[in-house]
Amino acid sequence: MTQEAQQQEPSQQAELPKKSEPPKLKMQNIITLTARLAQLLAEEADLLTAMKVGSIKALQQEKLFLVNALDAQRKLIDKHPQLIETIPSQDKHDLKEVVEVFNNVLAENHRKLLLAKEVNHKIVQAITDVVMKNTRRMAYNEKGATGIAPYETLSVTLNERI
């Protein structure tokens, strides 16, 4: 180092680029995130069973946060596949168990969602049938008089509550 460089203030000296630390995979965080997501899906399945569909909305923000956090970890592994080799065997075992529980809860949640969708469809169809039977199909003709419409007409609005 020259005498001039030594006399300069530290802020004026050129800084050497710092070597970035290699990314670390925090398996306990992944396990915890996966377990919490499984718990939320189980809560959602319970709400679906009770047909409390409106209450499910309260779970969505946390579910989205967890999915995004897990997706970020997946992207980290995709970018640095060597990280998989750094996972301790106990963490691998724990993650396998949590993922198995998660997959079972996910399958149950999926079945409940399909069932709730079918029930909802049948309710809407029943309402539509009742309204069609009790509504006159009236329309204006070319002379302005009302008469029977030549085609089925129905206009019904349903809100999102069940």
Side-chain angles (χ1 to χ4, degrees):
M1 192 183 259
T2 65
Q3 206 172 17
E4 266 182 36
Q6 288 176 344
Q7 292 173 351
Q8 289 178 342
E9 289 183 36
S11 62
Q12 293 175 340
Q13 293 178 1
E15 290 187 31
L16 296 174
K18 295 179 182 176
K19 187 175 179 181
S20 64
E21 277 191 42
K24 292 181 182 174
L25 198 58
K26 297 178 181 171
M27 285 308 296
Q28 287 304 313
N29 290 352
I30 294 172
I31 292 167
T32 302
L33 291 169
T34 305
R36 178 63 183 145
L37 186 56
Q39 186 180 25
L40 284 176
L41 289 174
E43 287 178 36
E44 184 175 277
D46 291 343
L47 290 170
L48 287 167
T49 299
M51 289 304 289
K52 294 182 178 180
V53 178
S55 301
I56 293 172
K57 198 177 227 178
L59 305 175
Q60 298 309 310
Q61 189 172 356
E62 186 177 0
K63 276 180 29 183
L64 186 58
F65 171 80
L66 293 169
V67 167
N68 288 337
L70 286 167
D71 191 48
Q73 294 299 308
R74 183 196 53 80
K75 287 177 182 176
L76 181 66
I77 292 170
D78 288 349
K79 190 173 180 179
H80 304 281
Q82 71 277 10
L83 291 174
I84 293 175
E85 298 164 15
T86 67
I87 301 171
S89 62
Q90 183 60 48
D91 286 349
K92 285 181 183 179
H93 176 73
D94 292 347
L95 182 61
K96 263 186 182 176
E97 285 183 354
V98 168
V99 166
E100 187 176 324
V101 169
F102 173 81
N103 286 334
N104 290 336
V105 170
L106 183 63
E108 180 66 16
N109 182 276
H110 183 70
R111 281 190 297 276
K112 300 277 176 114
L113 279 171
L114 291 177
L115 182 61
K117 180 181 174 186
E118 181 65 24
V119 167
N120 190 43
H121 177 73
K122 287 183 179 187
I123 290 170
V124 169
Q125 189 60 49
I127 291 169
T128 302
D129 292 346
V130 168
V131 171
M132 289 291 286
K133 286 179 185 175
N134 296 311
T135 303
R136 295 178 140 191
R137 297 178 304 148
M138 302 299 286
Y140 291 102
N141 62 19
E142 64 275 357
K143 296 178 184 174
T146 59
I148 302 291
Y151 48 86
E152 294 292 320
T153 60
L154 179 64
S155 177
V156 177
T157 302
L158 301 172
N159 68 17
E160 62 186 67
R161 291 180 182 235
I162 292 183

